[in-house]
């Protein structure tokens, strides 16, 4: 024992290093003990995971604090070192810090929340979770037509709320405007075609039109925005090949595809029932004149 004490007196730096290692091991053991305790006593998976991560972060911060204080031995030196360390960490972990700030911004300003359909950083989908760092979405679009799920779950950094626009399909006003075109052949009964399309739209979209009126009034009162018509509207355009009917209407943001299918199918059925009075057009090529062909043949007599 005396030899060990003598050895420590001859090598004070080694004594300091051993003491430091003992302290670090003690802190790490405490962290592991607390993590195991939380793992056994917390039933909720999400709470258990986040609490264990929180204990780890506290342990790392405590180790950094002890390290700086142990080797500097001065409060003055500690504050300078801590300042330099903080600056280095801020530069190194700027994306993480921005993500945490983004999560605070999302919760406070209510940019979006689970259940909303959004588009951010070119990715569109339904928000299924928002945590302190990531927003998790069920992706829609991409190689799948219309607003259908692709099956991919996307995790996106919350920092992106500061880097570009966030399109929210459902906040304040859970309806969107949609439209499609119908080509009607020249010579058809145009008034009958108009009545068929407007009647189909009015009947199919009555529920959405009624539900959207009150909510649109709230949007107009809340924001500086022009009042808009939520009833279905029909516009016609004369083209070289046909009369283009453009139907514009309002629909629930989650039912855009099925609503368009119902409208197209109903309008097609009604047009077929007119027995040729209204005919859908298709692109055709009309041959105006066949040029004269002159064919010369040379016959040789043998």
């Amino acid at each position: 024992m005396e030899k060990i004490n003598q050895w420590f007196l001859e090598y004070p730096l080694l004594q300091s290093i051993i003491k430091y290692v003992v302290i670090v091991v003690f802190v790490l053991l405490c962290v592991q003990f607390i993590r195991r305790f939380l793992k056994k006593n917390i039933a909720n998976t999400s709470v258990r995971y986040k609490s264990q991560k929180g204990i780890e972060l506290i342990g790392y911060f405590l180790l950094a604090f002890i390290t700086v204080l142990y080797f500097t031995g001065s409060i003055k030196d500690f504050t300078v070192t801590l300042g330099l360390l903080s600056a280095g960490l801020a530069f190194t972990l700027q994306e993480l810090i921005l993500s945490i700030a983004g999560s605070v911004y999302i919760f406070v300003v209510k940019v979006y929340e689970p259940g909303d359909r959004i588009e951010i950083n070119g990715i569109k989908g339904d928000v299924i979770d928002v945590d302190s760092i990531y927003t998790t979405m069920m992706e829609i679009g991409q190689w799948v037509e219309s607003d259908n799920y692709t099956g991919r779950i996307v995790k996106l950094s919350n920092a992106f709320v500061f880097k570009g626009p966030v399109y929210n399909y459902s906040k304040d006003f859970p309806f969107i405007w949609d439209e499609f075109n119908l080509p009607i052949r020249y010579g058809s009964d145009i008034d009958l075609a108009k009545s068929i399309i407007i009647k189909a739209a009015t009947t199919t979209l009555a529920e959405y039109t009624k539900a959207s009126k009150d909510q649109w009034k709230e949007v107009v009162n809340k924001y500086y925005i022009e009042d808009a018509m939520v009833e279905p509207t029909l516009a016609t355009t004369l083209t070289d090949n046909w009369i283009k009917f453009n139907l514009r209407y309002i629909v629930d943001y989650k039912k855009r595809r099925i609503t368009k299918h119902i409208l197209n199918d109903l309008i097609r059925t009604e047009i077929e029932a007119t027995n040729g009075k209204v005919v859908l057009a298709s692109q055709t090529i009309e041959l105006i004149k066949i040029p004269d062909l002159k064919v010369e043949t040379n016959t040789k007599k043998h």
Side-chain angles (χ1 to χ4, degrees), residues 124 139-151 257:
K124 184 165 64 172
E139 184 187 47
I140 62 175
Q142 296 298 329
W143 65 84
V144 180
E145 290 186 4
S146 192
D147 297 334
N148 290 324
Y149 289 141
T150 64
R257 180 173 180 267

Side-chain angles (χ1 to χ4, degrees), residues 187-199:
S188 298
D189 188 331
I190 303 303
D191 291 332
L192 179 59
K194 287 180 180 179
S195 65
I196 288 173
I197 296 171
I198 288 295
K199 181 181 178 181

Side-chain angles (χ1 to χ4, degrees), residues 116-131:
D116 285 354
R117 176 165 293 180
I118 66 170
E119 182 177 350
I120 180 172
N121 195 38
I123 300 171
K124 184 165 64 172
D126 290 344
V127 179
I128 56 178
D129 185 43
V130 182
D131 59 26

Side-chain angles (χ1 to χ4, degrees), residues 164-187:
V166 179
Y167 302 98
N168 195 317
Y169 289 67
S170 49
K171 183 177 174 61
D172 294 329
F173 189 68
F175 299 93
I176 58 174
W177 275 271
D178 198 10
E179 64 179 13
F180 63 86
N181 297 318
L182 285 168
I184 302 297
R185 183 183 295 179
Y186 282 107

Side-chain angles (χ1 to χ4, degrees), residues 22-36:
V22 171
I23 294 172
V24 169
V25 171
F26 176 75
V27 172
L28 291 176
L29 288 174
C30 289
V31 169
Q32 289 298 320
F33 175 78
I34 297 173
R35 287 184 78 254
R36 290 180 181 179

Side-chain angles (χ1 to χ4, degrees), residues 2 52 61 77 81 99 124 168 185 203 215 229 279 290-291:
E2 292 181 2
Q52 290 183 88
F61 178 79
D77 294 338
T81 307
S99 295
K124 184 165 64 172
N168 195 317
R185 183 183 295 179
T203 303
Q215 290 187 283
M229 183 181 294
V279 180
I290 299 177

Side-chain angles (χ1 to χ4, degrees), residues 230-248:
V230 296
E231 292 84 2
T233 59
L234 184 66
T236 59
T237 304
L238 302 180
T239 71
D240 294 337
N241 300 305
W242 50 67
I243 302 175
K244 183 175 72 175
F245 281 54
N246 176 265
L247 178 64
R248 187 170 186 265

Side-chain angles (χ1 to χ4, degrees), residues 61-279:
F61 178 79
L62 184 60
L63 284 177
F65 180 83
I66 291 172
T67 300
V68 174
L69 190 62
Y70 187 86
F71 287 105
T72 58
S74 169
I75 295 298
K76 180 180 179 181
D77 294 338
F78 171 72
T79 54
V80 174
T81 307
L82 185 61
L84 294 174
L85 180 63
S86 300
L89 286 174
F91 179 78
T92 306
L93 304 175
Q94 56 181 324
E95 188 70 23
L96 177 62
I97 295 170
L98 199 59
S99 295
I100 295 173
S103 67
V104 175
Y105 177 72
I106 291 168
F107 284 115
V108 173
V109 183
K110 298 187 183 301
V111 181
Y112 53 79
E113 58 188 2
D116 285 354
R117 176 165 293 180
I118 66 170
E119 182 177 350
I120 180 172
N121 195 38
I123 300 171
K124 184 165 64 172
D126 290 344
V127 179
I128 56 178
D129 185 43
V130 182
D131 59 26
S132 58
I133 299 176
Y134 292 107
T135 292
T136 307
M137 295 191 297
M138 175 60 76
E139 184 187 47
I140 62 175
Q142 296 298 329
W143 65 84
V144 180
E145 290 186 4
S146 192
D147 297 334
N148 290 324
Y149 289 141
T150 64
R152 297 193 301 188
I153 293 178
V154 183
K155 279 190 173 293
L156 194 69
S157 170
N158 291 335
F160 281 106
V161 296
F162 300 122
K163 298 180 179 180
V166 179
Y167 302 98
N168 195 317
Y169 289 67
S170 49
K171 183 177 174 61
D172 294 329
F173 189 68
F175 299 93
I176 58 174
W177 275 271
D178 198 10
E179 64 179 13
F180 63 86
N181 297 318
L182 285 168
I184 302 297
R185 183 183 295 179
Y186 282 107
S188 298
D189 188 331
I190 303 303
D191 291 332
L192 179 59
K194 287 180 180 179
S195 65
I196 288 173
I197 296 171
I198 288 295
K199 181 181 178 181
T202 303
T203 303
T204 305
L205 304 167
E207 181 182 348
Y208 301 139
T209 303
K210 181 180 179 182
S212 64
K213 282 184 178 180
D214 292 335
Q215 290 187 283
W216 182 248
K217 288 179 181 179
E218 293 179 6
V219 173
V220 172
N221 292 331
K222 183 177 180 180
Y223 300 103
Y224 186 75
I225 188 173
E226 181 184 353
D227 197 3
M229 183 181 294
V230 296
E231 292 84 2
T233 59
L234 184 66
T236 59
T237 304
L238 302 180
T239 71
D240 294 337
N241 300 305
W242 50 67
I243 302 175
K244 183 175 72 175
F245 281 54
N246 176 265
L247 178 64
R248 187 170 186 265
Y249 55 92
I250 205 164
V251 63
D252 186 299
Y253 74 96
K254 286 188 174 181
K255 298 180 180 178
R256 188 166 69 98
R257 180 173 180 267
I258 185 63
T259 301
K260 183 175 288 188
H261 162 71
I262 293 172
L263 281 171
N264 275 270
D265 198 50
L266 181 58
I267 292 171
R268 176 191 59 80
T269 303
E270 292 296 325
I271 287 177
E272 289 177 352
T274 63
N275 296 320
K277 292 182 180 179
V278 178
V279 180

